[in-house]
Amino acid sequence: MSPLADLLRPTDLAHYFGQSHLVAKGAPLQRMIENKTIHSLIFWGPPGCGKTTLAHIIARALSADLHFLSAVSAKKEDIRSIVDKKTSAPTILFLDEIHRFNKAQQDFLLPYVENGTLTLIGATTENPSFEVISPLLSRCHIYVLKPLSLDELSRIIDAGLSALSSTLASDAREFLTTFANGDGRKALNILESAHSLYGTALTKQNLLDTLQSPYLRYDQAGDEHYDTISAFIKSMRANQTDAALYYLARMVAAGEDPLFIARRMVIFASEDIGVAVPTALVVANAVFRAVETIGYPECQLNLAHGVAYLSQCKKSRSCNDAFFAAMEDVVKFGNLPIPLKIRNAPTKLMKELGYGKGYDMRDTNTYLPSKLKGKKYYA
């Protein structure tokens, strides 16, 4: 029997929960389905937010042949087989975890996407700009999906309860919507497991006991992935070297992509350490390069070396905070006029208009736009 999450998968947008910025009336995916047009695209979002379901809905609305592949196990032969079986109907390839497709595999896929033989729908939990080759990325529209809200999760839980003919105590519902952390599939999996173990009238204690049960399976590419990387980063942030090494070991043992770990360390070096220890970024980049060059299993030592160093560094988020404070003003005020004194003056006309006139590097009052004069971002 199919899992509850599959049984409840909606077949049209009218019954789809979440992602209103993409599927509401007039939004891009709604317009695409309404107009029965399709282009290659990549869904970037956390687990359980509806990426696979949207692919099903799009394919059904366009009467397209939908083929599913996981980039973890797919080979070039799998793509060739889909092309060989192509019919007159539009052919959509849904490639899950597209970030795990290596460069050679992406290069092989590219011509089929480019000439329209295949319409690609990629799904990823990672920033596609890091892992998807530029030529393929340029031929795809990137749609960012958000975690489901508490209200959306509650509606999904209602659908699950109805299908199971079960009830859920109010405190149990609050616990489940919070614990699911924006992941609809996770909420339904827990609900289904609790129902099979404890019957129809479910309590919060039933859910807690279910989470301790070996019968509940976790998706290591999803829940464990996010929970562990969160614990890893927070341990380094708190200078808890032992904890950070422990969570690193868990990720390595689970086969987590070492480049993903190293990339997060590079981000951490600037975000959480910054100018407090400028060499942290140098070390983190060196670790990333070592991991990229060496790979598993030896690169686990490079990762451990970097984690121990970053964990013990003094922390400062001053640069991070200053940048995002400046970004707030950019969003709020738009492109404010740059003071004439510090503008570039490559032509005679620009010089006559006062560009660059009176610039003195010792003058500290000429740099910010006049509306932001005296503003302090970096403390």
Side-chain angles (χ1 to χ4, degrees):
M1 183 177 176
S2 297
L4 181 62
D6 281 340
L7 292 174
L8 294 178
R9 191 184 301 280
T11 57
D12 55 48
L13 292 182
H15 299 93
Y16 181 83
F17 297 117
Q19 316 312 327
S20 59
H21 62 295
L22 298 178
V23 304
K25 185 69 175 176
L29 294 184
Q30 189 275 336
R31 292 293 297 273
M32 185 175 69
I33 290 173
E34 184 179 55
N35 297 334
K36 294 190 179 300
T37 58
I38 183 66
H39 49 251
S40 289
L41 52 91
I42 295 176
F43 291 140
W44 172 24
C49 66
K51 300 185 288 293
T52 304
T53 299
L54 278 176
H56 276 283
I57 292 173
I58 291 169
R60 184 174 184 270
L62 275 61
S63 300
D65 292 330
L66 181 61
H67 300 268
F68 283 83
L69 290 178
S70 171
V72 174
S73 57
K75 300 178 177 61
K76 294 178 183 178
E77 291 74 19
D78 298 313
I79 297 173
R80 188 179 290 113
S81 176
I82 293 172
V83 172
D84 290 342
K85 295 176 182 176
K86 180 175 172 57
T87 67
S88 58
T91 301
I92 297 176
L93 169 60
F94 181 83
L95 186 57
D96 198 17
E97 299 190 83
I98 190 174
H99 60 278
R100 293 184 181 269
F101 233 31
N102 63 39
K103 184 179 183 299
Q105 291 170 310
Q106 293 183 46
D107 283 334
F108 181 79
L109 175 61
L110 179 61
Y112 298 118
V113 174
E114 193 170 27
N115 63 25
T117 302
L118 297 176
T119 297
L120 173 66
I121 298 182
T124 178
T125 56
E126 306 296 331
N127 187 332
S129 62
F130 289 127
E131 299 294 347
V132 179
I133 60 173
S134 295
L136 188 57
L137 200 63
S138 68
R139 287 162 177 80
C140 297
H141 292 254
I142 311 300
Y143 293 111
V144 180
L145 278 68
K146 303 174 183 178
L148 299 176
S149 69
L150 294 179
D151 179 64
E152 290 160 352
L153 283 170
S154 187
R155 291 163 66 194
I156 288 174
I157 291 169
D158 283 337
L161 290 170
S162 177
L164 295 170
S165 298
S166 293
T167 60
L168 191 63
S170 59
D171 61 338
R173 177 187 293 271
E174 183 179 357
F175 168 78
L176 183 54
T177 53
T178 302
F179 185 84
N181 195 30
D183 185 334
R185 182 174 59 246
K186 183 176 183 179
L188 290 175
N189 286 347
I190 296 170
L191 190 65
E192 183 177 24
S193 295
H195 171 77
S196 67
L197 292 171
Y198 299 106
T200 58
L202 299 174
T203 66
K204 180 179 178 180
Q205 189 58 51
N206 293 152
L207 299 183
L208 291 170
D209 291 340
T210 299
L211 290 170
Q212 301 302 316
S213 169
Y215 297 106
L216 183 66
R217 298 181 180 272
Y218 288 92
D219 176 10
Q220 284 201 343
D223 306 332
E224 282 293 311
H225 169 88
Y226 279 93
D227 292 344
T228 309
I229 197 66
S230 175
F232 173 66
I233 294 297
K234 289 172 182 173
S235 296
M236 288 198 296
R237 185 177 293 149
N239 296 75
Q240 296 296 313
T241 307
D242 294 326
L245 287 170
Y246 166 75
Y247 290 116
L248 170 66
R250 276 181 56 160
M251 289 188 287
V252 171
E256 179 63 81
D257 180 0
L259 284 174
F260 167 75
I261 302 172
R263 187 179 303 117
R264 292 304 298 265
M265 291 167 64
V266 173
I267 296 168
F268 178 85
S270 288
E271 183 178 21
D272 286 281
I273 298 174
V275 295
V277 185
T279 52
L281 183 58
V282 177
V283 171
N285 270 299
V287 170
F288 184 90
R289 179 58 181 155
V291 168
E292 190 176 43
T293 303
I294 297 170
Y296 277 149
E298 292 88 349
C299 76
Q300 62 189 353
L301 298 177
N302 305 119
L303 288 168
H305 178 178
V307 168
Y309 178 85
L310 297 178
S311 296
Q312 296 178 70
C313 282
K314 183 179 178 182
K315 307 300 191 292
S316 170
R317 293 176 64 88
S318 56
C319 182
N320 174 83
D321 295 344
F323 171 76
F324 284 106
M327 182 65 76
E328 284 183 11
D329 279 346
V330 170
V331 172
K332 180 178 180 180
F333 298 113
N335 291 338
L336 294 173
I338 296 172
L340 287 176
K341 286 185 179 181
I342 58 173
R343 293 192 191 185
N344 188 32
T347 68
K348 180 180 178 182
L349 174 61
M350 288 179 171
K351 290 177 181 177
E352 290 174 351
L353 292 174
Y355 282 38
K357 184 178 181 180
Y359 168 67
D360 185 339
M361 62 181 295
R362 294 166 296 183
D363 184 356
T364 61
N365 296 313
T366 61
Y367 296 89
L368 280 171
S370 59
K371 192 174 186 66
L372 300 176
K373 187 175 180 179
K375 189 70 177 280
K376 296 291 183 182
Y377 299 116
Y378 186 81

